Amino acid sequence: MSTTITLTRDESLTRVGLPVGRGRSRFGALRTGALRTVVNSTSTGETRTTHFPHHRPAPLDRRPPATSLEVLLRFAAATEEMAAARGQLAFSAGRFGPRTPAETSRHLLTVFAQGTGGGGDVLPYWKMAASIRPLARIAAAGAESGLALDLPARLLEQTFGHAKVARFEDVDFPTTLTHEPTRRFLSGTGLPEDGSLFQLDTEIPLPTLVEYCTDEDTATELPQGTGDLIRLGRLAEGNSLVLDGRTGTILTWNEPETTLHLLNTDVSTLAFTLWLMHRAKTIDFDGEAGRVL
């Protein structure tokens, strides 16, 4: 069952409450750095993005995000329906795994293509929305694992390769790793050895942060409460990825500043983050809908 959202231009402006100016209505910065604004012509209904660079006083016209305000709102509504699994995207409710994001992406791309008249070129912004946002439907909320997410079996292997996913044995765990769901995840699912910004240590058993700092002579005094922390690997710019062996929380350890910062809820969200980053880099935004995943 599909739901079609139909709004006239005046109804659209009334229902979303956009501010009306003289001749044109400006709303919603779409990108930081240089101001990018959606501009709606009150005479034609056409929408376009206008770019206000910091070093130039005059705006530059850019490709319109949609042919009209009605189409723009329909695109945005379809994207939000995907996130909430309702309306025309209700078929994805309660469904997870690789097939669901692929089906959702194809549906969204079809909606966007129809919004261009069936033969127009879909703006890269909408291609990214249709390709990346449905990836959240890969993993369900944790129920079986005891962690934040239940990842599909072999998800990491299929993405990074069997030889590039490291699993640990009990002998690799220090005694401070008492969080059982984390122990099961590291021994059963594992983590990618090279997650772009993260390199997992696999040559030696996982050291505690105290052991690592002692061996590397990277700090003379550690903050209080670091006795349960375990070092997983290296991050960029002098940071380490550490695990709280008691709670399963993932943190970053800044070696030069000897400070800790929360990063992920647990190893399941860490693995999912690494998977998302890797997957996003391989998406062909210019390809047809069937090649999204």
PDB file of all heavy atoms in Angstrom, residues 255-290:
ATOM      1  N   GLU A 255      46.643  10.086  24.071  1.00  0.00           N
ATOM      2  CA  GLU A 255      47.915   9.821  24.744  1.00  0.00           C
ATOM      3  C   GLU A 255      48.669  11.092  25.121  1.00  0.00           C
ATOM      4  O   GLU A 255      49.149  11.209  26.254  1.00  0.00           O
ATOM      5  CB  GLU A 255      48.769   8.898  23.874  1.00  0.00           C
ATOM      6  CG  GLU A 255      48.119   7.536  23.659  1.00  0.00           C
ATOM      7  CD  GLU A 255      48.917   6.655  22.717  1.00  0.00           C
ATOM      8  OE1 GLU A 255      50.028   7.068  22.331  1.00  0.00           O
ATOM      9  OE2 GLU A 255      48.434   5.564  22.372  1.00  0.00           O
ATOM     10  N   PRO A 256      48.795  12.072  24.210  1.00  0.00           N
ATOM     11  CA  PRO A 256      49.533  13.287  24.600  1.00  0.00           C
ATOM     12  C   PRO A 256      48.871  14.051  25.743  1.00  0.00           C
ATOM     13  O   PRO A 256      49.546  14.591  26.613  1.00  0.00           O
ATOM     14  CB  PRO A 256      49.555  14.121  23.305  1.00  0.00           C
ATOM     15  CG  PRO A 256      49.351  13.134  22.211  1.00  0.00           C
ATOM     16  CD  PRO A 256      48.450  12.091  22.771  1.00  0.00           C
ATOM     17  N   GLU A 257      47.526  14.084  25.762  1.00  0.00           N
ATOM     18  CA  GLU A 257      46.819  14.863  26.769  1.00  0.00           C
ATOM     19  C   GLU A 257      46.374  14.020  27.962  1.00  0.00           C
ATOM     20  O   GLU A 257      45.855  14.557  28.939  1.00  0.00           O
ATOM     21  CB  GLU A 257      45.599  15.542  26.143  1.00  0.00           C
ATOM     22  CG  GLU A 257      45.950  16.517  25.016  1.00  0.00           C
ATOM     23  CD  GLU A 257      44.718  17.135  24.389  1.00  0.00           C
ATOM     24  OE1 GLU A 257      43.605  16.872  24.898  1.00  0.00           O
ATOM     25  OE2 GLU A 257      44.865  17.869  23.394  1.00  0.00           O
ATOM     26  N   THR A 258      46.551  12.694  27.861  1.00  0.00           N
ATOM     27  CA  THR A 258      46.122  11.734  28.901  1.00  0.00           C
ATOM     28  C   THR A 258      44.677  11.978  29.321  1.00  0.00           C
ATOM     29  O   THR A 258      44.356  12.096  30.505  1.00  0.00           O
ATOM     30  CB  THR A 258      47.046  11.793  30.136  1.00  0.00           C
ATOM     31  OG1 THR A 258      46.939  13.095  30.746  1.00  0.00           O
ATOM     32  CG2 THR A 258      48.479  11.510  29.757  1.00  0.00           C
ATOM     33  N   THR A 259      43.777  12.033  28.326  1.00  0.00           N
ATOM     34  CA  THR A 259      42.360  12.256  28.591  1.00  0.00           C
ATOM     35  C   THR A 259      41.523  11.167  27.923  1.00  0.00           C
ATOM     36  O   THR A 259      41.925  10.575  26.917  1.00  0.00           O
ATOM     37  CB  THR A 259      41.895  13.621  28.068  1.00  0.00           C
ATOM     38  OG1 THR A 259      42.217  13.731  26.663  1.00  0.00           O
ATOM     39  CG2 THR A 259      42.572  14.750  28.836  1.00  0.00           C
ATOM     40  N   LEU A 260      40.338  10.915  28.494  1.00  0.00           N
ATOM     41  CA  LEU A 260      39.405   9.920  27.991  1.00  0.00           C
ATOM     42  C   LEU A 260      38.133  10.607  27.511  1.00  0.00           C
ATOM     43  O   LEU A 260      37.659  11.560  28.131  1.00  0.00           O
ATOM     44  CB  LEU A 260      39.059   8.905  29.077  1.00  0.00           C
ATOM     45  CG  LEU A 260      40.158   7.926  29.484  1.00  0.00           C
ATOM     46  CD1 LEU A 260      39.794   7.256  30.802  1.00  0.00           C
ATOM     47  CD2 LEU A 260      40.350   6.868  28.397  1.00  0.00           C
ATOM     48  N   HIS A 261      37.561  10.078  26.388  1.00  0.00           N
ATOM     49  CA  HIS A 261      36.309  10.618  25.869  1.00  0.00           C
ATOM     50  C   HIS A 261      35.436   9.461  25.389  1.00  0.00           C
ATOM     51  O   HIS A 261      35.923   8.514  24.759  1.00  0.00           O
ATOM     52  CB  HIS A 261      36.557  11.581  24.706  1.00  0.00           C
ATOM     53  CG  HIS A 261      37.376  12.773  25.075  1.00  0.00           C
ATOM     54  ND1 HIS A 261      36.867  13.858  25.741  1.00  0.00           N
ATOM     55  CD2 HIS A 261      38.699  13.038  24.877  1.00  0.00           C
ATOM     56  CE1 HIS A 261      37.820  14.748  25.944  1.00  0.00           C
ATOM     57  NE2 HIS A 261      38.943  14.273  25.422  1.00  0.00           N
ATOM     58  N   LEU A 262      34.145   9.535  25.675  1.00  0.00           N
ATOM     59  CA  LEU A 262      33.202   8.512  25.240  1.00  0.00           C
ATOM     60  C   LEU A 262      33.097   8.510  23.720  1.00  0.00           C
ATOM     61  O   LEU A 262      32.997   9.566  23.100  1.00  0.00           O
ATOM     62  CB  LEU A 262      31.826   8.783  25.864  1.00  0.00           C
ATOM     63  CG  LEU A 262      30.716   7.799  25.510  1.00  0.00           C
ATOM     64  CD1 LEU A 262      31.025   6.418  26.060  1.00  0.00           C
ATOM     65  CD2 LEU A 262      29.376   8.303  26.042  1.00  0.00           C
ATOM     66  N   LEU A 263      33.078   7.314  23.114  1.00  0.00           N
ATOM     67  CA  LEU A 263      32.990   7.199  21.658  1.00  0.00           C
ATOM     68  C   LEU A 263      31.762   6.415  21.218  1.00  0.00           C
ATOM     69  O   LEU A 263      30.959   6.902  20.430  1.00  0.00           O
ATOM     70  CB  LEU A 263      34.250   6.541  21.101  1.00  0.00           C
ATOM     71  CG  LEU A 263      34.294   6.405  19.574  1.00  0.00           C
ATOM     72  CD1 LEU A 263      34.320   7.773  18.911  1.00  0.00           C
ATOM     73  CD2 LEU A 263      35.499   5.578  19.136  1.00  0.00           C
ATOM     74  N   ASN A 264      31.604   5.180  21.695  1.00  0.00           N
ATOM     75  CA  ASN A 264      30.479   4.334  21.307  1.00  0.00           C
ATOM     76  C   ASN A 264      29.857   3.668  22.534  1.00  0.00           C
ATOM     77  O   ASN A 264      30.518   3.487  23.552  1.00  0.00           O
ATOM     78  CB  ASN A 264      30.917   3.234  20.326  1.00  0.00           C
ATOM     79  CG  ASN A 264      31.188   3.756  18.934  1.00  0.00           C
ATOM     80  OD1 ASN A 264      32.341   3.889  18.538  1.00  0.00           O
ATOM     81  ND2 ASN A 264      30.153   4.054  18.171  1.00  0.00           N
ATOM     82  N   THR A 265      28.610   3.263  22.355  1.00  0.00           N
ATOM     83  CA  THR A 265      27.926   2.588  23.452  1.00  0.00           C
ATOM     84  C   THR A 265      28.604   1.278  23.809  1.00  0.00           C
ATOM     85  O   THR A 265      28.811   0.957  24.979  1.00  0.00           O
ATOM     86  CB  THR A 265      26.455   2.309  23.071  1.00  0.00           C
ATOM     87  OG1 THR A 265      25.831   3.535  22.714  1.00  0.00           O
ATOM     88  CG2 THR A 265      25.712   1.674  24.232  1.00  0.00           C
ATOM     89  N   ASP A 266      28.964   0.505  22.784  1.00  0.00           N
ATOM     90  CA  ASP A 266      29.618  -0.787  23.016  1.00  0.00           C
ATOM     91  C   ASP A 266      30.250  -1.267  21.712  1.00  0.00           C
ATOM     92  O   ASP A 266      30.283  -0.531  20.719  1.00  0.00           O
ATOM     93  CB  ASP A 266      28.634  -1.829  23.582  1.00  0.00           C
ATOM     94  CG  ASP A 266      27.406  -2.013  22.695  1.00  0.00           C
ATOM     95  OD1 ASP A 266      27.533  -1.909  21.456  1.00  0.00           O
ATOM     96  OD2 ASP A 266      26.312  -2.260  23.233  1.00  0.00           O
ATOM     97  N   VAL A 267      30.747  -2.518  21.708  1.00  0.00           N
ATOM     98  CA  VAL A 267      31.444  -3.027  20.523  1.00  0.00           C
ATOM     99  C   VAL A 267      30.512  -3.225  19.338  1.00  0.00           C
ATOM    100  O   VAL A 267      30.951  -3.193  18.185  1.00  0.00           O
ATOM    101  CB  VAL A 267      32.184  -4.351  20.839  1.00  0.00           C
ATOM    102  CG1 VAL A 267      33.421  -4.101  21.683  1.00  0.00           C
ATOM    103  CG2 VAL A 267      31.260  -5.353  21.523  1.00  0.00           C
ATOM    104  N   SER A 268      29.217  -3.446  19.595  1.00  0.00           N
ATOM    105  CA  SER A 268      28.289  -3.618  18.468  1.00  0.00           C
ATOM    106  C   SER A 268      28.119  -2.314  17.703  1.00  0.00           C
ATOM    107  O   SER A 268      28.104  -2.304  16.462  1.00  0.00           O
ATOM    108  CB  SER A 268      26.935  -4.133  18.964  1.00  0.00           C
ATOM    109  OG  SER A 268      26.228  -3.138  19.688  1.00  0.00           O
ATOM    110  N   THR A 269      27.991  -1.186  18.404  1.00  0.00           N
ATOM    111  CA  THR A 269      27.864   0.104  17.712  1.00  0.00           C
ATOM    112  C   THR A 269      29.192   0.531  17.099  1.00  0.00           C
ATOM    113  O   THR A 269      29.208   1.207  16.078  1.00  0.00           O
ATOM    114  CB  THR A 269      27.351   1.192  18.664  1.00  0.00           C
ATOM    115  OG1 THR A 269      28.219   1.292  19.797  1.00  0.00           O
ATOM    116  CG2 THR A 269      25.945   0.862  19.144  1.00  0.00           C
ATOM    117  N   LEU A 270      30.298   0.142  17.708  1.00  0.00           N
ATOM    118  CA  LEU A 270      31.610   0.402  17.102  1.00  0.00           C
ATOM    119  C   LEU A 270      31.734  -0.333  15.782  1.00  0.00           C
ATOM    120  O   LEU A 270      32.120   0.256  14.756  1.00  0.00           O
ATOM    121  CB  LEU A 270      32.727  -0.024  18.053  1.00  0.00           C
ATOM    122  CG  LEU A 270      34.135  -0.056  17.453  1.00  0.00           C
ATOM    123  CD1 LEU A 270      34.590   1.344  17.047  1.00  0.00           C
ATOM    124  CD2 LEU A 270      35.123  -0.687  18.430  1.00  0.00           C
ATOM    125  N   ALA A 271      31.408  -1.626  15.779  1.00  0.00           N
ATOM    126  CA  ALA A 271      31.501  -2.421  14.551  1.00  0.00           C
ATOM    127  C   ALA A 271      30.556  -1.889  13.485  1.00  0.00           C
ATOM    128  O   ALA A 271      30.915  -1.809  12.301  1.00  0.00           O
ATOM    129  CB  ALA A 271      31.178  -3.883  14.859  1.00  0.00           C
ATOM    130  N   PHE A 272      29.356  -1.486  13.885  1.00  0.00           N
ATOM    131  CA  PHE A 272      28.387  -0.958  12.929  1.00  0.00           C
ATOM    132  C   PHE A 272      28.863   0.364  12.345  1.00  0.00           C
ATOM    133  O   PHE A 272      28.695   0.626  11.145  1.00  0.00           O
ATOM    134  CB  PHE A 272      27.032  -0.782  13.623  1.00  0.00           C
ATOM    135  CG  PHE A 272      25.914  -0.414  12.685  1.00  0.00           C
ATOM    136  CD1 PHE A 272      25.689  -1.139  11.532  1.00  0.00           C
ATOM    137  CD2 PHE A 272      25.081   0.654  12.966  1.00  0.00           C
ATOM    138  CE1 PHE A 272      24.657  -0.810  10.662  1.00  0.00           C
ATOM    139  CE2 PHE A 272      24.044   1.000  12.106  1.00  0.00           C
ATOM    140  CZ  PHE A 272      23.828   0.261  10.960  1.00  0.00           C
ATOM    141  N   THR A 273      29.485   1.208  13.175  1.00  0.00           N
ATOM    142  CA  THR A 273      30.031   2.479  12.695  1.00  0.00           C
ATOM    143  C   THR A 273      31.123   2.238  11.662  1.00  0.00           C
ATOM    144  O   THR A 273      31.153   2.887  10.605  1.00  0.00           O
ATOM    145  CB  THR A 273      30.591   3.299  13.861  1.00  0.00           C
ATOM    146  OG1 THR A 273      29.549   3.577  14.799  1.00  0.00           O
ATOM    147  CG2 THR A 273      31.175   4.620  13.375  1.00  0.00           C
ATOM    148  N   LEU A 274      32.033   1.308  11.954  1.00  0.00           N
ATOM    149  CA  LEU A 274      33.104   0.987  11.010  1.00  0.00           C
ATOM    150  C   LEU A 274      32.532   0.421   9.714  1.00  0.00           C
ATOM    151  O   LEU A 274      33.016   0.731   8.615  1.00  0.00           O
ATOM    152  CB  LEU A 274      34.080  -0.004  11.644  1.00  0.00           C
ATOM    153  CG  LEU A 274      34.835   0.505  12.875  1.00  0.00           C
ATOM    154  CD1 LEU A 274      35.652  -0.625  13.500  1.00  0.00           C
ATOM    155  CD2 LEU A 274      35.740   1.671  12.516  1.00  0.00           C
ATOM    156  N   TRP A 275      31.494  -0.398   9.833  1.00  0.00           N
ATOM    157  CA  TRP A 275      30.848  -0.965   8.643  1.00  0.00           C
ATOM    158  C   TRP A 275      30.203   0.131   7.813  1.00  0.00           C
ATOM    159  O   TRP A 275      30.338   0.150   6.588  1.00  0.00           O
ATOM    160  CB  TRP A 275      29.805  -1.998   9.060  1.00  0.00           C
ATOM    161  CG  TRP A 275      29.082  -2.592   7.893  1.00  0.00           C
ATOM    162  CD1 TRP A 275      29.480  -3.650   7.129  1.00  0.00           C
ATOM    163  CD2 TRP A 275      27.831  -2.146   7.341  1.00  0.00           C
ATOM    164  NE1 TRP A 275      28.559  -3.889   6.133  1.00  0.00           N
ATOM    165  CE2 TRP A 275      27.543  -2.991   6.239  1.00  0.00           C
ATOM    166  CE3 TRP A 275      26.936  -1.128   7.681  1.00  0.00           C
ATOM    167  CZ2 TRP A 275      26.397  -2.836   5.473  1.00  0.00           C
ATOM    168  CZ3 TRP A 275      25.796  -0.965   6.911  1.00  0.00           C
ATOM    169  CH2 TRP A 275      25.525  -1.821   5.827  1.00  0.00           C
ATOM    170  N   LEU A 276      29.493   1.069   8.469  1.00  0.00           N
ATOM    171  CA  LEU A 276      28.840   2.158   7.748  1.00  0.00           C
ATOM    172  C   LEU A 276      29.854   3.016   7.004  1.00  0.00           C
ATOM    173  O   LEU A 276      29.637   3.389   5.845  1.00  0.00           O
ATOM    174  CB  LEU A 276      28.043   3.027   8.721  1.00  0.00           C
ATOM    175  CG  LEU A 276      26.685   2.507   9.183  1.00  0.00           C
ATOM    176  CD1 LEU A 276      26.113   3.429  10.256  1.00  0.00           C
ATOM    177  CD2 LEU A 276      25.709   2.380   8.023  1.00  0.00           C
ATOM    178  N   MET A 277      30.952   3.356   7.668  1.00  0.00           N
ATOM    179  CA  MET A 277      31.972   4.184   7.038  1.00  0.00           C
ATOM    180  C   MET A 277      32.549   3.491   5.813  1.00  0.00           C
ATOM    181  O   MET A 277      32.739   4.111   4.753  1.00  0.00           O
ATOM    182  CB  MET A 277      33.075   4.507   8.045  1.00  0.00           C
ATOM    183  CG  MET A 277      32.632   5.396   9.189  1.00  0.00           C
ATOM    184  SD  MET A 277      33.883   5.552  10.484  1.00  0.00           S
ATOM    185  CE  MET A 277      35.231   6.295   9.561  1.00  0.00           C
ATOM    186  N   HIS A 278      32.819   2.194   5.933  1.00  0.00           N
ATOM    187  CA  HIS A 278      33.374   1.444   4.806  1.00  0.00           C
ATOM    188  C   HIS A 278      32.344   1.316   3.687  1.00  0.00           C
ATOM    189  O   HIS A 278      32.674   1.491   2.509  1.00  0.00           O
ATOM    190  CB  HIS A 278      33.800   0.055   5.291  1.00  0.00           C
ATOM    191  CG  HIS A 278      34.419  -0.786   4.214  1.00  0.00           C
ATOM    192  ND1 HIS A 278      35.768  -0.742   3.917  1.00  0.00           N
ATOM    193  CD2 HIS A 278      33.878  -1.686   3.345  1.00  0.00           C
ATOM    194  CE1 HIS A 278      36.030  -1.579   2.929  1.00  0.00           C
ATOM    195  NE2 HIS A 278      34.898  -2.156   2.564  1.00  0.00           N
ATOM    196  N   ARG A 279      31.093   1.039   4.045  1.00  0.00           N
ATOM    197  CA  ARG A 279      30.052   0.835   3.045  1.00  0.00           C
ATOM    198  C   ARG A 279      29.751   2.124   2.287  1.00  0.00           C
ATOM    199  O   ARG A 279      29.527   2.107   1.071  1.00  0.00           O
ATOM    200  CB  ARG A 279      28.781   0.324   3.736  1.00  0.00           C
ATOM    201  CG  ARG A 279      27.702  -0.126   2.770  1.00  0.00           C
ATOM    202  CD  ARG A 279      28.137  -1.391   2.042  1.00  0.00           C
ATOM    203  NE  ARG A 279      27.256  -1.676   0.912  1.00  0.00           N
ATOM    204  CZ  ARG A 279      27.405  -1.197  -0.299  1.00  0.00           C
ATOM    205  NH1 ARG A 279      28.387  -0.354  -0.573  1.00  0.00           N
ATOM    206  NH2 ARG A 279      26.596  -1.537  -1.264  1.00  0.00           N
ATOM    207  N   ALA A 280      29.729   3.251   2.998  1.00  0.00           N
ATOM    208  CA  ALA A 280      29.410   4.513   2.354  1.00  0.00           C
ATOM    209  C   ALA A 280      30.427   4.865   1.281  1.00  0.00           C
ATOM    210  O   ALA A 280      30.085   5.484   0.263  1.00  0.00           O
ATOM    211  CB  ALA A 280      29.331   5.626   3.393  1.00  0.00           C
ATOM    212  N   LYS A 281      31.691   4.467   1.478  1.00  0.00           N
ATOM    213  CA  LYS A 281      32.730   4.787   0.501  1.00  0.00           C
ATOM    214  C   LYS A 281      32.606   3.969  -0.776  1.00  0.00           C
ATOM    215  O   LYS A 281      33.186   4.329  -1.800  1.00  0.00           O
ATOM    216  CB  LYS A 281      34.113   4.562   1.122  1.00  0.00           C
ATOM    217  CG  LYS A 281      34.459   5.525   2.228  1.00  0.00           C
ATOM    218  CD  LYS A 281      35.920   5.427   2.632  1.00  0.00           C
ATOM    219  CE  LYS A 281      36.297   4.045   3.108  1.00  0.00           C
ATOM    220  NZ  LYS A 281      37.703   3.972   3.573  1.00  0.00           N
ATOM    221  N   THR A 282      31.865   2.858  -0.732  1.00  0.00           N
ATOM    222  CA  THR A 282      31.781   1.973  -1.896  1.00  0.00           C
ATOM    223  C   THR A 282      30.497   2.151  -2.694  1.00  0.00           C
ATOM    224  O   THR A 282      30.321   1.484  -3.703  1.00  0.00           O
ATOM    225  CB  THR A 282      31.880   0.505  -1.441  1.00  0.00           C
ATOM    226  OG1 THR A 282      30.750   0.185  -0.604  1.00  0.00           O
ATOM    227  CG2 THR A 282      33.158   0.262  -0.652  1.00  0.00           C
ATOM    228  N   ILE A 283      29.602   3.027  -2.241  1.00  0.00           N
ATOM    229  CA  ILE A 283      28.329   3.205  -2.936  1.00  0.00           C
ATOM    230  C   ILE A 283      28.533   3.972  -4.237  1.00  0.00           C
ATOM    231  O   ILE A 283      29.206   4.994  -4.266  1.00  0.00           O
ATOM    232  CB  ILE A 283      27.314   3.942  -2.044  1.00  0.00           C
ATOM    233  CG1 ILE A 283      26.938   3.066  -0.842  1.00  0.00           C
ATOM    234  CG2 ILE A 283      26.061   4.305  -2.829  1.00  0.00           C
ATOM    235  CD1 ILE A 283      26.021   3.753   0.132  1.00  0.00           C
ATOM    236  N   ASP A 284      27.939   3.470  -5.298  1.00  0.00           N
ATOM    237  CA  ASP A 284      27.980   4.134  -6.600  1.00  0.00           C
ATOM    238  C   ASP A 284      26.735   4.993  -6.730  1.00  0.00           C
ATOM    239  O   ASP A 284      25.658   4.513  -7.069  1.00  0.00           O
ATOM    240  CB  ASP A 284      28.033   3.087  -7.717  1.00  0.00           C
ATOM    241  CG  ASP A 284      28.011   3.712  -9.100  1.00  0.00           C
ATOM    242  OD1 ASP A 284      28.231   4.940  -9.203  1.00  0.00           O
ATOM    243  OD2 ASP A 284      27.776   2.983 -10.079  1.00  0.00           O
ATOM    244  N   PHE A 285      26.869   6.296  -6.429  1.00  0.00           N
ATOM    245  CA  PHE A 285      25.715   7.173  -6.463  1.00  0.00           C
ATOM    246  C   PHE A 285      25.219   7.436  -7.877  1.00  0.00           C
ATOM    247  O   PHE A 285      24.100   7.901  -8.068  1.00  0.00           O
ATOM    248  CB  PHE A 285      26.043   8.508  -5.784  1.00  0.00           C
ATOM    249  CG  PHE A 285      26.288   8.374  -4.308  1.00  0.00           C
ATOM    250  CD1 PHE A 285      27.542   8.624  -3.778  1.00  0.00           C
ATOM    251  CD2 PHE A 285      25.274   7.999  -3.460  1.00  0.00           C
ATOM    252  CE1 PHE A 285      27.769   8.505  -2.425  1.00  0.00           C
ATOM    253  CE2 PHE A 285      25.489   7.875  -2.105  1.00  0.00           C
ATOM    254  CZ  PHE A 285      26.736   8.126  -1.583  1.00  0.00           C
ATOM    255  N   ASP A 286      26.052   7.148  -8.867  1.00  0.00           N
ATOM    256  CA  ASP A 286      25.634   7.366 -10.251  1.00  0.00           C
ATOM    257  C   ASP A 286      25.002   6.121 -10.871  1.00  0.00           C
ATOM    258  O   ASP A 286      24.497   6.183 -11.969  1.00  0.00           O
ATOM    259  CB  ASP A 286      26.828   7.790 -11.097  1.00  0.00           C
ATOM    260  CG  ASP A 286      27.349   9.163 -10.693  1.00  0.00           C
ATOM    261  OD1 ASP A 286      26.509  10.011 -10.315  1.00  0.00           O
ATOM    262  OD2 ASP A 286      28.569   9.386 -10.729  1.00  0.00           O
ATOM    263  N   GLY A 287      25.087   4.999 -10.138  1.00  0.00           N
ATOM    264  CA  GLY A 287      24.541   3.763 -10.683  1.00  0.00           C
ATOM    265  C   GLY A 287      23.037   3.700 -10.570  1.00  0.00           C
ATOM    266  O   GLY A 287      22.386   4.526  -9.938  1.00  0.00           O
ATOM    267  N   GLU A 288      22.449   2.652 -11.184  1.00  0.00           N
ATOM    268  CA  GLU A 288      21.005   2.503 -11.127  1.00  0.00           C
ATOM    269  C   GLU A 288      20.594   1.996  -9.745  1.00  0.00           C
ATOM    270  O   GLU A 288      21.407   1.578  -8.944  1.00  0.00           O
ATOM    271  CB  GLU A 288      20.520   1.533 -12.210  1.00  0.00           C
ATOM    272  CG  GLU A 288      20.970   0.093 -12.026  1.00  0.00           C
ATOM    273  CD  GLU A 288      22.334  -0.156 -12.625  1.00  0.00           C
ATOM    274  OE1 GLU A 288      23.016   0.822 -12.986  1.00  0.00           O
ATOM    275  OE2 GLU A 288      22.718  -1.327 -12.712  1.00  0.00           O
ATOM    276  N   ALA A 289      19.303   2.045  -9.467  1.00  0.00           N
ATOM    277  CA  ALA A 289      18.789   1.708  -8.137  1.00  0.00           C
ATOM    278  C   ALA A 289      19.169   0.281  -7.748  1.00  0.00           C
ATOM    279  O   ALA A 289      19.433   0.002  -6.587  1.00  0.00           O
ATOM    280  CB  ALA A 289      17.269   1.864  -8.101  1.00  0.00           C
ATOM    281  N   GLY A 290      19.212  -0.632  -8.698  1.00  0.00           N
ATOM    282  CA  GLY A 290      19.528  -2.013  -8.375  1.00  0.00           C
ATOM    283  C   GLY A 290      20.960  -2.227  -7.934  1.00  0.00           C
ATOM    284  O   GLY A 290      21.290  -3.305  -7.445  1.00  0.00           O
TER     285      GLY A 290
END
